[in-house]
Each structure stands twice: as C-alpha cells, then as structure tokens.
C-alpha cells in the first residue's frame, strides 16, 4: 500500500493558495494526493503535476447523477487519475434494496464508459451505507455484490466503524474490490471535529491496515480537526511510516 492524502482535508488552505498548499503537502513527504471537485480544480491540478513531485492516482467527483460524464472523464485523464470515485449518494436510497441495485447498475454503466478511457470507477462510503441492513447484511455489502468486477470501492474505514461495522471483517468480506481506503482516527462519534491523527483515537488501526494491505492506496483524511491540519497530516503519515517499517 502506498500513502496519499485527501485534499478536502486542506480545503481552506487550497482556497487561498492552491499551489502553495500542494507544495506544503509535498514538503511533508507526500508524493500522492486525492483531489475532490476534480472538474472544478482541473487546471490547478494539471499545473501542480507539472510543478511538484506529486501525482493524483485517485480523485473524488460526483458522477452517478445527471452529469456530463465525458467532461469528467476528460478531466480525469488530464490530471492522470486512475481511480475515479463518487464520494456520496443520497442516504435514503441506501434503505431500499431495489434502489441499491439500481445504483449499482448505474455505476456498472459508468464503469464501461470509463474503461474505454483507461479508468476505473468506484464509490466511497459514509456511515449510513453500513447502518442500513438489507437482506441480512449491510447495504454496502449488498451493493458490492451487484457490481461489475472492474468497479472498485474506497472504504472509509472511520465512517464504516461509526456505522457499526467491524472494519477488518468488512474489508476481508469485500476483498480485492477494495483498492482504496480512507484512514482516519478519532473517538468513533459522528462528530467530525472529534477526529484525531492516526494512532491517537479508538480505531483498530493495526487490524485495519493488515486487512487492507492489498489495497493500492491508503488515503489520510480529516473531515475536520481541532489542531493544525498540516501537523495532523504529518503525524498521521509518520504513524503509517512507522507501522510499515515495524511490519517490514
């Protein structure tokens, strides 16, 4: 697993100085990052790849609704994205099995178009996809069983835990479909402001990292943080590097 960072974590800094913020991430030792609002930030991301030793192998962009998918694919190609991830779908649809299957069919259709552009598509969960139980399992697991093999999942391990999942067991059940994991820590409440650097909260991180070892990227993320965001990212990256060194 290689390590990345979700750029939403530093959204306030990006708003005032996009390129300077990317430079700060590189200075922390990050060589990969995961953009959000891919189409909106297309030009800035292309510039960042040209200026800094960083790439953007995965990106968040809503595409499961009524959108110009060709425009999104073009932006992904321009930025060098491999995994295009829809970050959110309306919670109410995850309480109905027919709606979950319909959403999976939509994602499968997007996957066929994306494959022609050399991309793989996927979905990123929050807590409600795990809180909802359908046909004896979580809605996310039902969804996964309906997906084409080329579709990936990005499991947000923290929100999965908040939703009641045994995260290592969930990762084992989803298997190789999980190519990306969001790594964060905190008190396991639904309050984003309670999130903490990796290793400082209640997440079962050692077991989670072991269960997700075959994923391509582990993505550090803070939805919010009471401290200095760059220091929090640096502490999380240091934790991951120590963990990898210890395991090796």
């Amino acid at each position: 697993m290689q390590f990345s960072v979700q750029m939403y974590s530093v959204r306030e800094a990006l708003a005032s100085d996009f390129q300077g913020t990317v430079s700060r991430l590189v200075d922390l030792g990050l060589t990969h990052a995961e953009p959000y609002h891919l189409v909106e930030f297309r030009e800035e991301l292309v510039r960042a790849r040209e200026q800094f030793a960083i790439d953007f192998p995965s990106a968040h962009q809503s595409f499961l609704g009524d959108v110009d998918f060709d425009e999104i694919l073009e932006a992904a190609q321009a930025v060098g994205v491999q995994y295009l991830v829809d970050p959110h779908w309306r919670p109410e649809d995850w309480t109905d099995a027919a709606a979950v299957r319909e959403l999976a069919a939509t994602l499968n259709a997007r996957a066929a178009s994306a494959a022609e552009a050399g991309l793989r598509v996927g979905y990123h969960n929050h807590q409600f996809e795990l809180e909802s139980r359908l046909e004896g399992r979580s809605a996310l697991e039902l969804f996964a069983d309906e997906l084409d093999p080329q579709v990936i999942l990005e499991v947000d391990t923290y929100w999965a835990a908040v939703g009641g999942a045994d995260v290592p067991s969930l990762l084992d059940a989803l298997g190789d479909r999980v190519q990306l994991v969001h790594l964060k820590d905190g008190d396991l409440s639904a309050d984003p402001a309670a999130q903490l650097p990796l290793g400082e909260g209640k997440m079962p991180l050692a077991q989670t990292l072991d269960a997700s070892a075959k994923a391509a990227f582990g993505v550090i993320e803070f939805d919010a943080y009471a401290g200095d965001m760059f220091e929090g990212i640096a502490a999380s990256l240091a934790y991951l590097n120590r963990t990898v060194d210890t395991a090796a």
Side-chain angles (χ1 to χ4, degrees):
M1 181 192 293
Q2 300 180 71
F3 301 130
S4 180
V5 63
Q6 168 52 245
M7 295 174 74
Y8 182 77
S9 306
V10 292
R11 57 195 177 275
E12 294 179 1
L14 287 169
S16 60
D17 182 357
F18 196 100
Q19 301 303 328
T21 300
V22 174
S23 179
R24 291 185 70 183
L25 294 176
V26 172
D27 288 344
L28 293 180
L30 288 154
T31 57
H32 311 292
E34 183 178 77
Y36 67 104
H37 290 173
L38 174 65
V39 173
E40 178 183 343
F41 294 131
R42 177 195 183 283
E43 298 305 319
E44 293 281 17
L45 292 164
V46 169
R47 285 180 55 206
R49 286 185 74 205
E50 293 171 348
Q51 293 185 65
F52 305 110
I54 195 165
D55 61 11
F56 307 107
S58 61
H60 280 193
Q61 175 68 47
S62 297
F63 60 80
L64 288 173
D66 185 12
V67 297
D68 184 343
F69 196 50
D70 287 339
E71 179 187 30
I72 293 170
L73 292 178
E74 188 283 328
Q77 289 177 308
V79 173
V81 172
Q82 303 169 44
Y83 302 104
L84 179 65
V85 180
D86 193 297
H88 179 274
W89 188 254
R90 48 183 179 255
E92 60 269 24
D93 281 357
W94 294 94
T95 63
D96 178 78
V100 170
R101 290 189 167 97
E102 183 178 350
L103 183 62
T106 300
L107 185 51
N108 289 340
R110 294 298 197 199
S113 298
E116 296 178 2
L119 300 166
R120 296 181 72 181
V121 295
Y123 181 77
H124 162 276
N125 65 280
H126 291 81
Q127 75 269 30
F128 45 82
E129 299 94 339
L130 285 305
E131 290 172 338
S132 175
R133 306 294 296 181
L134 299 171
E135 302 177 5
R137 53 193 161 161
S138 72
L140 184 66
E141 291 169 283
L142 173 62
F143 179 67
D145 282 350
E146 298 292 323
L147 295 175
D148 186 276
Q150 66 186 325
V151 177
I152 65 107
L153 290 175
E154 178 173 58
V155 174
D156 189 309
T157 58
Y158 188 82
W159 287 119
V162 173
D166 178 313
V167 174
S169 296
L170 175 67
L171 292 167
D172 286 339
L174 295 175
D176 292 344
R177 190 178 295 284
V178 181
Q179 288 298 304
L180 305 165
V181 288
H182 270 194
L183 301 171
K184 60 184 77 167
D185 209 343
D187 66 0
L188 299 184
S189 74
D191 179 10
Q195 291 174 15
L196 296 167
L198 295 177
E200 297 184 16
K202 297 181 178 180
M203 277 291 293
L205 288 172
Q207 299 94 322
T208 296
L209 289 169
D210 185 60
S212 59
K214 293 183 179 179
F217 292 93
V219 184
I220 297 165
E221 184 186 34
F222 292 84
D223 297 287
Y225 179 46
D228 179 274
M229 185 62 75
F230 290 92
E231 291 179 0
I233 293 169
S236 292
L237 182 61
Y239 172 89
L240 292 172
N241 287 332
R242 287 196 305 272
T243 301
V244 169
D245 289 343
T246 301

